[in-house]
Amino acid sequence: MALQASFLPSALSVHKEGKFNGVKDAAIFGVRISENAICDFGSSLRISSKRNYASLAIRAQTTATTPSINQSTTNTKKTLRKGNVVITGASSGLGLATAKALAEDGKWHVIMACRDFLKAQQAAKAAGMNKENYTVVHLDLASLDSVRQFVRNFRQTGMKLDVLVCNAAVYFPTAKDPSFTADGFEMSVGVNHLGHFLLARELLEDLKESDYPSKRLIIVGSITGNTNTLAGNIPPKANLGDLRGLAGGLGGHHSSMIDGGEFDGAKAYKDSKVCNMLMMQEFHRRYHEETGITFASLYPGCIATTGLFRSHIPLFRTLFPPFQKYITKGYVSEEEAGKRLAQVVSDPSLTKSGVYWSWNHNSASFENQLSQEASDAEKAKKVWELSEKLVGLA
Ligand code: LMG
Ligand code: NDP
Ligand code: PMR
């Protein structure tokens, strides 16, 4: 506490406004219907739906008078089906913990959008997730073709899209040289920001068509991209500069860094998180009023044990969890972080759009403040426009 209390006065002052919104308090929107679909690899990606989702949804609607069916009493627009949530990177860490929390909730069908199909299936099984509550669909965010293919595959399932969670990320703190996506973008920004940007833009159409009571697009952010915090001031600091590297395509001919500087893996990750938080706000400004979709970002706490740190040096991986647990007190378990993100997905009281959520030490959610750069509307617009060009939307 000492560190946060002494270094983060502004964050602490907003804690007071925090209110508890436990996952368990969530109103029940849907009914239990048995869904099951398999996506597997043969020579090419194939999706076989054991049942037809579209007809399932209709069937569920027609059984609305069954006494065991739960209906939302807080919303006049009743939806008599489970919510469908796509979570990228649900094969480990925060994504898996969130998928598990939502699957166990009974109100959600989780589409696990993962680059390693077998790993995702095994992870879901090992987490004890019931097969009826999830579908694995292949998605490699390091390839724009894969993103487009994912969108086509998802649409083929006939499922409606109610919530999209952009969660997947990579972090290369020890890399001396950049690596690149299939489209030639520096990998951290390519996967964490550009792949998700295309995915979210494409799936916006699907979200718009959803009849679910609360449609949401959530992009996971982080404290380390926010220079208004102690964590955000540990070098190297996030800084998008004048975006000259992004404008140049992050390809290495000019620079693989957004600000046009020398490659630095830790900075590239933090820059990508700034892009994530800026894009959430830009989506909000452009689409919230027109679509009613809630756009949100969050810092779930420091989940010091996840695969995110897999390529860090062993000494770091050993010391980082106790450091966060006992010194900064910023540590949260994967399970707790999963509950927090699940809350942003499904809690009826977290419908405010354009918000960056955080949690205080009592695990109460509060609207946190972003750094100056991460809330710069002009920069957000520029990042949006440059990203559109890079992913072929403009
Ligand atoms: C870069 O290094 C890497 O080069 C890069 O590859 C990438 O990883 C990047 O941000 C990611 O970091 C950054 C470097 C900057 O960090 C380190 O080298 C430190 C690594 C330590 C990792 C955590 C383990 C810590 C071990 C703690 C020991 C635990 C057990 C001890 C028990 C003690 C009991 C009391 O790091 C710095 O430059 C650090 C200086 C940054 C200054 C920031 C300004 C404020 C700093 C205040 C810090 C006060 C901390 C003291 C704690 C007091 C506790 C009361
Ligand atoms: P993990 O490494 O455990 O999870 C990242 C997930 O992203 C994995 O499932 C991984 O797949 C997937 N992924 C990586 N590359 C791709 C790709 N090219 N295409 C599709 N999926 C991919 O890390 P975390 O759970 O910690 O990270 C989840 C989110 O939380 C990230 O957005 C991160 O920035 C954020 N975050 C994490 C914090 C922490 O302390 N850990 C703190 C704040 C935010 P695979 O399993 O195949 O490797
Ligand atoms: Mg950081 C309140 C203090 C706090 C918090 C909440 C975090 C979160 N960190 C804090 C403080 C410190 N960290 C201090 C004082 C140091 C210097 C010893 C420090 C160092 C540090 C390193 C080297 N921290 C790190 C790293 C990483 O490599 C991680 C990173 O920056 O990845 C991009 C990281 C993190 N610290 C955090 C969080 C949440 C991370 C994980 C990365 C993220 O997703 O943002």
Side-chain angles (χ1 to χ4, degrees):
M1 186 64 213
L3 268 181
Q4 284 214 329
S6 50
F7 288 99
L8 299 171
S10 63
L12 277 173
S13 67
V14 250
H15 284 183
K16 289 182 212 135
E17 293 161 30
K19 52 187 188 307
F20 182 69
N21 296 301
V23 177
K24 285 186 186 129
D25 297 340
I28 295 161
F29 288 129
V31 294
R32 280 170 195 277
I33 49 172
S34 171
E35 295 174 337
N36 199 351
I38 310 165
C39 168
D40 57 6
F41 286 109
S43 51
S44 63
L45 183 79
R46 202 168 73 238
I47 292 181
S48 62
S49 257
K50 281 192 185 161
R51 296 178 196 194
N52 180 305
Y53 283 89
S55 70
L56 251 180
I58 294 161
R59 197 142 37 94
Q61 303 243 356
T62 57
T63 56
T65 49
T66 310
S68 63
I69 288 171
N70 294 307
Q71 296 183 5
S72 166
T73 48
T74 54
N75 204 311
T76 49
K77 196 177 167 190
K78 294 187 180 76
T79 299
L80 303 173
R81 61 174 172 83
K82 276 186 180 179
N84 293 318
V85 53
V86 168
I87 305 179
T88 67
S91 50
S92 77
L94 176 62
L96 178 62
T98 307
K100 182 174 155 70
L102 290 168
E104 283 174 356
D105 196 28
K107 289 172 270 174
W108 293 93
H109 187 84
V110 183
I111 296 94
M112 301 170 70
C114 299
R115 63 174 165 177
D116 185 336
F117 185 84
L118 284 176
K119 180 181 176 183
Q121 269 200 327
Q122 281 162 2
K125 212 172 157 190
M129 288 166 63
N130 187 325
K131 271 202 319 206
E132 293 195 338
N133 296 332
Y134 68 90
T135 307
V136 179
V137 181
H138 183 256
L139 167 68
D140 183 356
L141 289 157
S143 156
L144 298 179
D145 274 348
S146 174
V147 172
R148 293 188 195 97
Q149 187 61 43
F150 171 84
V151 173
R152 284 193 289 271
N153 289 337
F154 174 73
R155 287 176 184 160
Q156 266 184 15
T157 67
M159 279 184 268
K160 292 193 172 183
L161 178 65
D162 306 312
V163 179
L164 169 62
V165 181
C166 297
N167 161 78
V170 285
Y171 173 41
F172 304 110
T174 57
K176 298 269 174 288
D177 299 303
S179 51
F180 297 95
T181 67
D183 305 276
F185 309 130
E186 185 282 316
M187 188 67 79
S188 332
V189 176
V191 168
N192 307 358
H193 163 56
L194 291 169
H196 277 135
F197 180 68
L198 177 61
L199 180 73
R201 286 288 302 272
E202 294 286 339
L203 290 180
L204 191 67
E205 293 311 311
D206 303 69
L207 280 172
K208 279 184 195 166
E209 281 166 21
S210 159
D211 58 349
Y212 206 68
S214 179
K215 312 183 261 192
R216 305 183 190 185
L217 197 169
I218 299 155
I219 309 177
V220 178
S222 183
I223 194 169
T224 55
N226 280 295
T227 50
N228 58 339
T229 64
L230 168 63
N233 277 290
I234 306 302
K237 291 204 248 178
N239 180 6
L240 306 188
D242 63 4
L243 306 175
R244 67 179 68 178
L246 187 65
L250 300 176
H253 296 299
H254 304 285
S255 168
S256 58
M257 299 295 290
I258 292 179
D259 65 359
E262 284 278 302
F263 173 72
D264 181 325
K267 181 172 183 299
Y269 171 88
K270 293 173 189 177
D271 289 351
S272 77
K273 289 285 119 185
V274 175
C275 290
N276 286 155
M277 295 179 280
L278 286 175
M279 289 307 92
M280 175 280 284
Q281 297 162 87
E282 190 65 15
F283 267 112
H284 167 73
R285 281 188 284 268
R286 288 176 188 242
Y287 296 108
H288 175 63
E289 246 182 64
E290 174 200 327
T291 65
I293 296 169
T294 295
F295 299 97
S297 186
L298 69 150
Y299 167 58
C302 185
I303 330 158
T305 51
T306 71
L308 194 68
F309 311 104
R310 66 187 95 184
S311 66
H312 223 309
I313 57 168
L315 182 66
F316 176 87
R317 295 212 310 274
T318 307
L319 292 177
F320 192 55
F323 172 65
Q324 294 293 346
K325 249 183 217 168
Y326 303 114
I327 299 181
T328 72
K329 313 267 189 205
Y331 173 85
V332 285
S333 66
E334 295 184 19
E335 192 188 3
E336 175 60 25
K339 282 185 192 160
R340 291 177 177 183
L341 179 46
Q343 213 180 324
V344 182
V345 169
S346 87
D347 192 319
S349 67
L350 299 193
T351 50
K352 188 165 172 193
S353 185
V355 172
Y356 167 64
W357 296 104
S358 296
W359 285 259
N360 65 23
H361 289 294
N362 299 319
S363 260
S365 59
F366 67 95
E367 285 182 49
N368 207 346
Q369 271 170 3
L370 292 158
S371 69
Q372 201 180 0
E373 181 170 52
S375 52
D376 182 335
E378 214 166 291
K379 208 168 244 189
K381 184 167 179 283
K382 284 187 193 149
V383 171
W384 178 282
E385 288 167 357
L386 291 172
S387 302
E388 271 186 329
K389 284 192 188 139
L390 295 180
V391 302
L393 288 171

